[in-house]
Amino acid sequence: MTLSPARVPATGVRRLTATLYGYSFLDDFVLLYPVYALLFADTGLSLWQISSLFALWSVTAVLLEVPSGAWADAVSRRLLLWLGPLLTAVGFGLWVLVPSYWAFALGFVLWGAGGALGSGALEALVYDELERLGAADRYARVMGRARAARLVATMASVGLAAPVVALGGYPAVGAASILACLLTAATATRFPEHRVPPETGGDSWATTLRTGLAEVRGDRSVRGALLLVPAVAAVWGALDEYTPLLVRDLGVAEATVPYLILLIWAGVTAGSLLTGPAERLGTRGLAALLAGSALALAVGAAAGSTAGIALVGLAFGGFQVAEVLADARLQHRIDESRRATLTSVAGLGTEAATVATFGLYALVGAGAAHSTVFAVLAVPYLVTALVLARARAARARP
């Protein structure tokens, strides 16, 4: 039977999205996530040593973010998407086979490198394949669902980690995590990729990086879209790390804290699934979304109640929608040949802004309650909303 032209793109989109959702789920279905800090402590590491490992992980990701994105524009993006999980699997293997400070450090370097290889490459591959199929307008909806798959995987790994540790200890969760990485790599080989990497010699990644940065400098719309990504993603991404402290300040029992955290993440998951309808939001609608989410964050944090935590979850859901929409705006504006590079530049900006948010949180939190800090850090979103609204008004003037 011969497929109609309309049927062929539909089949291609289904194959792409099914692979993406499976890849996203498996990539975050890592049972070591909720227990690796306990593994470090039980191995005898001090708090300083554990903190240095986290710092090494972050530094590795920051240093490799942009070069890996430029490399993804110079070679096969699918290659990097299956190579990254294999590096992570080797790192996890070191953790459980030879647990020691240096094994943990090398494992974090490999994990950071594996994550950097996929950052930028995944978004670029998905957008280009959707564009080839005439479905680039579905990008935000598709990536929102992929993020929802990641959230479900993270929550599932949290729920399964305890019984697996009880059955087989750290070797069991390590083996399960390695298996998830291998399945992620296998799934990545199923991604369609019709783009032909440029043949420009050994220095092609550096050339791609230079031309990508030149595009940012020369095109105001690209520059604005790139800056919007960290402006939306960084603050709430950092605040997520402090939500257990915010919840505990309510005075609830320790056993209740995880359930309220799940309430927050239910809001984030709902936000991921709502990106499809939200695609119709223009600049003014995005500004309103950010402003409304900022107000929900400030009011919810200051409320000091379970209902307030629900508002924080609503705010985080709004920020999740805005983050996906900001990424979509960037993808719509950049050239295919530099897509992964500039996506990684935006990721680097997000990492840097997140670190700055951590510092600001520590500074303000030294003399204020967590609820106050959350409310204060809603202000950057109001500023971003105002900048977007003014930019929209300026473009509307004759």
Side-chain angles (χ1 to χ4, degrees):
M1 186 178 87
T2 301
L3 295 177
S4 67
R7 175 93 175 156
V8 174
T11 303
V13 170
R14 281 197 296 271
R15 178 192 170 189
L16 173 65
T17 55
T19 305
L20 172 64
Y21 301 153
Y23 179 91
S24 299
F25 180 89
L26 290 168
D27 196 35
D28 272 17
F29 187 62
V30 178
L31 269 63
L32 274 168
Y33 279 164
V35 298
Y36 61 68
L38 301 179
L39 169 63
F40 301 158
D42 290 346
T43 304
L45 270 60
S46 66
L47 180 59
W48 179 89
Q49 288 175 311
I50 294 173
S51 299
S52 69
L53 290 175
F54 293 155
L56 178 63
W57 189 19
S58 297
V59 169
T60 301
V62 168
L63 291 179
L64 296 180
E65 178 78 31
V66 174
S68 66
W71 192 26
D73 280 331
V75 301
S76 166
R77 292 162 180 165
R78 180 171 56 196
L79 166 67
L80 302 189
L81 290 175
W82 65 255
L83 180 60
L86 294 183
L87 293 180
T88 304
V90 173
F92 290 161
L94 289 172
W95 285 7
V96 295
L97 292 176
V98 284
S100 63
Y101 178 81
W102 294 110
F104 296 145
L106 181 55
F108 266 129
V109 170
L110 291 170
W111 193 359
L117 289 179
S119 177
L122 180 64
E123 293 87 349
L125 184 148
V126 171
Y127 189 91
D128 285 347
E129 289 300 314
L130 286 173
E131 188 172 46
R132 184 185 68 85
L133 295 166
D137 58 333
R138 303 187 195 180
Y139 175 80
R141 180 186 313 139
V142 167
M143 293 306 292
R145 291 174 179 173
R147 293 190 183 210
R150 289 184 179 276
L151 292 169
V152 171
T154 300
M155 290 187 285
S157 65
V158 171
L160 288 174
V164 173
V165 168
L167 287 173
Y170 294 123
V173 292
S177 300
I178 292 169
L179 177 60
C181 291
L182 297 178
L183 291 174
T184 304
T187 303
T189 64
R190 301 295 301 161
F191 273 116
E193 185 177 25
H194 293 81
R195 166 184 170 272
V196 178
E199 298 180 3
T200 55
D203 63 342
S204 57
W205 77 268
T207 302
T208 302
L209 177 57
R210 285 195 297 270
T211 56
L213 294 177
E215 182 179 355
V216 174
R217 290 193 298 268
D219 191 324
R220 185 176 180 180
S221 67
V222 172
R223 187 165 60 251
L226 191 148
L227 291 174
L228 181 62
V229 173
V232 171
V235 174
W236 85 273
L239 288 179
D240 167 52
E241 303 296 333
Y242 299 97
T243 50
L245 301 176
L246 176 69
V247 171
R248 191 172 63 180
D249 277 359
L250 297 180
V252 299
E254 291 290 333
T256 306
V257 172
Y259 295 108
L260 292 179
I261 297 300
L262 284 177
L263 176 63
I264 292 175
W265 281 101
V268 178
T269 305
S272 298
L273 296 174
L274 289 172
T275 51
E279 284 182 283
R280 293 188 289 271
L281 293 175
T283 301
R284 184 179 299 171
L286 181 57
L289 175 64
L290 285 173
S293 299
L295 292 174
L297 175 64
V299 173
S305 65
T306 303
I309 296 302
L311 276 178
V312 172
L314 179 64
F316 277 20
F319 295 141
Q320 174 76 305
V321 173
E323 184 177 339
V324 176
L325 294 181
D327 173 44
R329 287 163 69 95
L330 177 63
Q331 301 302 330
H332 289 323
R333 286 167 170 75
I334 54 182
D335 184 80
E336 173 188 348
S337 62
R338 296 179 286 275
R339 191 176 305 285
T341 301
L342 294 185
T343 303
S344 291
V345 170
L348 176 61
T350 300
E351 293 283 351
T354 300
V355 171
T357 304
F358 286 143
L360 181 59
Y361 197 106
L363 181 65
V364 178
H370 293 289
S371 58
T372 302
V373 185
F374 269 66
V376 168
L377 289 176
V379 174
Y381 286 110
L382 293 174
V383 173
T384 301
L386 179 61
V387 170
L388 283 172
R390 293 186 65 177
R392 172 67 178 82
R395 286 195 298 270
R397 295 193 196 104

